[in-house]
Amino acid sequence: MLNSELAAQLRLAFDDDRDADTFLMRLDRYGPELVASLRAVYGDRTEDLLDTLIPVLLHAFHTRPADLRRLDEARLLRPDWLQGPDVVGYVAYTDRFAGTLRGVGEHLDYLQGLGVTYLHLMPLLRPRDGENDGGYAVQDYRAVRDDLGTMDDLSALARDLRGRGISLVLDLVLNHVAQEHEWAARARAGDPAYRDYFYLYPDRTQPDAFERTLPEVFPDFAPGNFTWNGDAQAWVWTTFNTYQWDLNWSNPAVFREFVDIILHLANRGVEVFRLDAIAFIWKRLGTDSQNQPEVHWLTRALRACARIVAPAVAFKAEAIVAPADLIHYLGTGDHHGRVSDMAYHNSLMVQIWSSLASRDVRLMTAALRAFPPKPTNTTWGMYVRCHDDIGWAISDADAARVGVNGAGHRHFLSDFYSGEFPGSFARGLVFQYNPQTGDRRISGSGASLAGLEAALDAGNPTWTEHAVRRILLSHAVILGFGGVPLLYMGDELAMLNDYTYADTPEHAADNRWVHRPRMDWPSAGAVQADPSTPAAQVNAGLRHLIEVRKTLPHLHASVESEALDSPDPCVLLLRRDHPAGRFLGVYNFSEHRIQFPSYALRDHVGEFALDHLTGSGFSLYRPTITLDPFRALWLTPTHMTI
C-alpha cells in the first residue's frame, strides 16, 4: 500500500518520528490486506473510500492513550493472548450485575477471585427508549445508557479492569441501528446521503422479491423483514424488529462510520468487540441474505483497520449459523486466520443440552467430528448458557449419521426442555414458536434447565444432587474444551428462572428475560458460610474447575479437541494433542454409575493416567474403571505406578 511518496505525505502528520514509524510499519503490514478486502467489496470506489478512511485512522492513532499503546505492544509480543488456558470469561448485564458501571467497579474483587480475565458487559451503549431488543437497538454508539453512567465511567472501569488483567468486551451491533439513531432521523428527513445508509423502497416490489427467500427471525412479535415508515415514505428493511433499521453496507460510507466507531470505543478501553448479527450485514436477492462472501471481506477490512491503530483489539463473531458456514467467520482459504479472532461454538452448547436430555453422546460426537478445523491463531467461545434463547441447531445430516431423525429429535428437545416430555427434569419456556416450521426455541436459566428448580420444588435430595452435577459436568466440558469459556452471570451460583420478568412491561412479551435475573449478591456472600447449599456446591465446583484449567497448557486454544468414538453411549471422550502432552476429557452424561472399559482410555493415555480434577491416579490395565453419575475426568499420561 505504501510507496515513498505516500509515506512521506503521511509522515508530515506526525510530530514524533517514533510514532510515524509505528503507524507506517503497521500500515505497510496491514494496508495491502485492507485495500484488497475493500476492493473485493467496493471495486472502483475503493480509492475514494481510502481517501476518507486514512484521516480516521490517523486521528484515532494520535488520540490513543499511552497505556493502551503499551497494551498494543504487549499484545503484538503475545499474539496468542486470547488463547491461553488462563483466559476465563464472564458475561453480565451491567444493571443486573451491579446497577451501574461504577457499581461493576465495586465488584472487581469478586470477578478476580472467580478467575475472570475477560468481562463481557451486555449492550450498554445508548439504546432507544422503551422496547430495544435487550439493548441491541442502538441510538448512539458514542454514549452509554443514561442509567448506567457515562463514557468517562466506561473508560475508568476499563482502566481498572486492565489493572487486574481483565479485558473489557462490548457488543457492536453492525446490522442495524434504532430508528431513532441520527442516521435514520436524517434519512426520514429526506437527506439522500443518509437514505443511502439504509434499504428504503417506495413500494413492495423489491421487498416482495427479497421475502421469497428470507426467513423470519422473530415470527411471533416481528413477522416479515420489512416495515412501512410513513415519515420516510418507504418500506424499510427491518430483519429483527420494526424499530431496528438494517444498514446498507454496500455503501462505503457505512464502512467508514463503523471504523470510526470501533476505534473510538477502542480508545475508551474496549479490548474485544462482539460483532453482533455479523452474518446478516450483506443482502443478496435470491438468498437468505446471511453468510454472504462480502461479510468476510468486510470483517477482514475492519480487522485490518483495528490492527493498524489498536492491535490490542480482538473481534468475536456472533454468528449462530451452521458449522459449514461458521468456520468462514474464523477464516478459510485466503481469509484463513484473518477475519475474526474468536467465534461462538453454539453447536457445543446445543449438543451439551441434547446429550443431557437423551443421556446419549453419539450425536454430539458426530456433530463435533463434522466440524472443519479452525485456524490455529483463532479461538472458540464456549458456553453452557447465554443471554439468548436456545435454538436447536442440530442438522439433519448429523442426526442421520447416528440413525436419528433430525426433526424428531429437535421436537423431542423442545418438549423436554419446556417440561412437556414425561420425566423431564427441566423447567424452560417455549420462545418464538413457528407453526409453519414447528420450530420451538427455549428460554431458561442453566440451573432451571438442568433440573435444579424442579428438584427444589419437589424437595428431592437425589434430584438436587443430580442437578448440581449436571451443571458442573456441563461447565467441565466447556472449561476443558480449549478456547475461552464464557460463564453467564449467576450460573456460578445456580440461579433459577426469574418469572417476575413479566411484571416489567417492556420485557413481558419476551420470555428470554426469565434467564436474565438480577445478581443474587446475598447468595454470593453466603456460599462460604453454608457449603451444603446447591449454590455453594456449584460455586465451589466451578472455582475448582477454573483453578485446575489454568494449570493445564494442554487447553491452549491453538489445539483442537477431537471427539472420539466411545464404547458407551453415555460417555463423551474428547482428546487434545498438545506439545505438552495428550489430554483426554471423559464425561459421563448420565445419572448412572458406569463401568467403563479401560482400553478406551488406555489407547490414548497409556497404562497410567492422572485425573487433574481430583489429583487421583488411574491404573488402566484393569478391565474397567468406575464413572460416577455425571463424572468428569481430565486425564493426562503419567509414569506413576498405582
Side-chain angles (χ1 to χ4, degrees):
M1 179 177 180
L2 280 179
N3 55 45
S4 57
E5 182 180 349
L6 177 59
Q9 290 176 353
L10 290 175
R11 193 171 284 278
L12 295 175
F14 293 88
D15 296 325
D16 187 307
D17 286 342
R18 289 172 298 180
D19 283 349
D21 287 342
T22 297
F23 184 85
L24 293 174
M25 282 191 292
R26 291 182 192 167
L27 191 62
D28 197 39
R29 164 64 180 84
Y30 295 105
E33 196 168 318
L34 173 61
V35 173
S37 300
L38 292 177
R39 190 158 282 135
V41 177
Y42 298 118
D44 58 10
R45 294 180 291 173
T46 299
E47 296 305 322
D48 289 341
L49 172 56
L50 287 170
D51 286 343
T52 62
L53 193 59
I54 292 297
V56 172
L57 301 180
L58 282 169
H59 174 75
F61 183 87
H62 282 308
T63 56
R64 188 149 173 83
D67 61 331
L68 290 173
R69 291 192 182 201
R70 286 193 294 274
L71 185 65
D72 290 333
E73 297 304 318
R75 294 271 165 86
L76 288 169
L77 292 172
R78 192 192 166 194
D80 66 342
W81 68 274
L82 201 54
Q83 294 187 290
D86 57 320
V87 181
V88 174
Y90 192 86
V91 183
Y93 285 91
T94 301
D95 55 337
R96 295 184 168 254
F97 180 70
T100 64
L101 291 168
R102 292 186 180 184
V104 173
E106 295 170 3
H107 291 288
L108 298 191
D109 286 345
Y110 175 82
L111 294 172
Q112 194 169 23
L114 192 58
V116 171
T117 63
Y118 165 116
L119 177 62
H120 175 192
L121 294 178
M122 297 292 290
L124 54 75
L125 300 178
R126 181 176 293 158
R128 70 189 298 269
D129 292 334
E131 271 191 271
N132 54 46
D133 190 24
Y136 289 102
V138 179
Q139 183 174 338
D140 188 347
Y141 289 91
R142 298 172 187 272
V144 169
R145 213 174 83 190
D146 291 342
D147 60 316
L148 301 181
T150 66
M151 284 302 267
D152 287 342
D153 292 332
L154 183 69
S155 296
L157 175 62
R159 186 168 54 251
D160 291 345
L161 288 167
R162 279 198 305 281
R164 293 173 181 254
I166 302 174
S167 298
L168 177 62
V169 186
L170 286 193
D171 295 87
L172 183 71
V173 185
L174 295 171
N175 180 69
H176 47 262
V177 296
Q179 65 183 4
E180 291 80 9
H181 192 284
E182 179 188 5
W183 302 339
R186 291 192 180 192
R188 284 194 302 276
D191 187 325
Y194 286 94
R195 287 181 74 86
D196 197 33
Y197 276 40
F198 303 96
Y199 293 93
L200 305 177
Y201 301 103
D203 57 45
R204 286 289 310 187
T205 303
Q206 280 296 99
D208 286 344
F210 277 109
E211 287 278 18
R212 293 188 188 103
T213 54
L214 292 178
E216 292 179 312
V217 176
F218 295 135
D220 275 3
F221 49 71
N225 290 270
F226 295 87
T227 302
W228 175 256
N229 185 274
D231 291 337
Q233 283 296 292
W235 287 94
V236 185
W237 199 315
T238 55
T239 297
F240 290 88
N241 287 287
T242 59
Y243 52 78
Q244 290 167 301
W245 287 24
D246 284 36
L247 289 159
N248 175 15
W249 279 82
S250 69
N251 178 358
V254 171
F255 178 87
R256 186 195 66 243
E257 294 274 18
F258 272 93
V259 170
D260 199 16
I261 289 167
I262 288 169
L263 298 179
H264 172 77
L265 293 171
N267 283 356
R268 286 290 192 170
V270 179
E271 295 181 31
V272 182
F273 288 94
R274 175 187 177 274
L275 305 181
D276 181 72
I278 183 69
F280 294 83
I281 67 173
W282 194 267
K283 321 298 187 185
R284 177 166 280 115
L285 188 65
T287 74
D288 61 1
S289 291
Q290 296 182 43
N291 308 308
Q292 298 301 303
E294 289 83 356
V295 170
H296 310 303
W297 285 114
L298 286 166
T299 310
R300 184 171 171 180
L302 290 172
R303 181 178 183 268
C305 291
R307 288 292 193 271
I308 292 167
V309 174
V313 163
F315 286 169
K316 174 174 62 175
E318 191 262 334
I320 310 304
V321 297
D325 293 319
L326 178 58
I327 197 65
H328 297 298
Y329 290 85
L330 296 176
T332 59
D334 186 57
H335 292 315
H336 185 85
R338 298 179 177 183
V339 190
S340 291
D341 304 278
M342 181 176 171
Y344 285 112
H345 204 315
N346 178 65
S347 184
L348 180 64
M349 181 271 293
V350 169
Q351 293 295 342
I352 288 172
W353 292 108
S354 172
S355 297
L356 286 172
S358 65
R359 285 78 162 177
D360 192 324
V361 303
R362 287 175 292 184
L363 177 56
M364 178 190 272
T365 300
L368 293 178
R369 290 175 79 166
F371 260 77
K374 67 171 184 60
T376 57
N377 65 329
T378 64
T379 186
W380 293 118
M382 302 87 53
Y383 53 104
V384 173
R385 281 300 290 123
C386 69
H387 73 290
D388 223 338
D389 57 279
I390 303 177
W392 300 117
I394 291 171
S395 76
D396 291 340
D398 287 339
R401 289 187 183 99
V402 293
V404 172
N405 177 276
H409 190 66
R410 292 188 292 271
H411 186 89
F412 157 70
L413 292 173
S414 293
D415 280 352
F416 191 95
Y417 284 106
S418 62
E420 297 174 21
F421 191 83
S424 169
F425 51 72
R427 294 276 179 90
L429 304 177
V430 171
F431 178 72
Q432 294 293 320
Y433 170 55
N434 188 331
Q436 292 184 335
T437 64
D439 181 42
R440 287 174 297 157
R441 289 132 69 181
I442 295 293
S443 298
S445 75
S448 290
L449 294 179
L452 185 58
E453 185 178 333
L456 294 175
D457 285 349
N460 189 313
T462 301
W463 292 5
T464 300
E465 179 185 357
H466 285 170
V468 168
R469 290 189 175 190
R470 285 189 198 98
I471 295 167
L472 291 175
L473 176 79
S474 302
H475 283 88
V477 173
I478 67 162
L479 284 158
F481 194 79
V484 181
L486 304 170
L487 309 180
Y488 185 58
M489 186 205 83
D491 281 359
E492 78 277 16
L493 299 171
M495 289 176 62
L496 304 176
N497 286 344
D498 176 15
Y499 298 103
T500 65
Y501 79 91
D503 299 335
T504 304
E506 59 264 35
H507 296 167
D510 185 348
N511 66 24
R512 291 175 298 178
W513 287 97
V514 78
H515 55 255
R516 301 169 181 172
R518 296 192 180 278
M519 182 62 171
D520 186 356
W521 286 113
S523 180
V527 292
Q528 303 293 333
D530 185 358
S532 66
T533 66
Q537 292 169 5
V538 168
N539 191 263
L542 267 177
R543 287 175 182 270
H544 176 66
L545 286 167
I546 291 168
E547 288 171 3
V548 174
R549 169 191 159 85
K550 289 175 181 274
T551 68
L552 291 169
H554 314 72
L555 297 178
H556 191 282
S558 58
V559 172
E560 297 240 49
S561 286
E562 177 188 358
L564 306 174
D565 287 328
S566 172
D568 191 305
C570 297
V571 179
L572 177 70
L573 301 177
L574 294 175
R575 190 180 81 185
R576 300 176 59 75
D577 291 327
H578 187 273
R582 181 165 287 173
F583 172 96
L584 185 66
V586 183
Y587 307 96
N588 177 8
F589 270 78
S590 80
E591 60 268 53
H592 308 298
R593 180 173 284 109
I594 291 174
Q595 296 301 315
F596 192 74
S598 295
Y599 77 84
L601 309 180
R602 186 171 59 243
D603 289 350
H604 301 287
V605 292
E607 287 195 357
F608 302 106
L610 174 66
D611 172 29
H612 291 266
L613 293 178
T614 60
S616 301
F618 284 89
S619 296
L620 298 177
Y621 59 83
R622 298 189 179 100
T624 63
I625 66 166
T626 301
L627 294 178
D628 288 333
F630 306 110
R631 177 75 183 275
L633 304 176
W634 286 355
L635 301 177
T636 60
T638 180
H639 298 297
M640 64 182 288
T641 57
I642 309 300

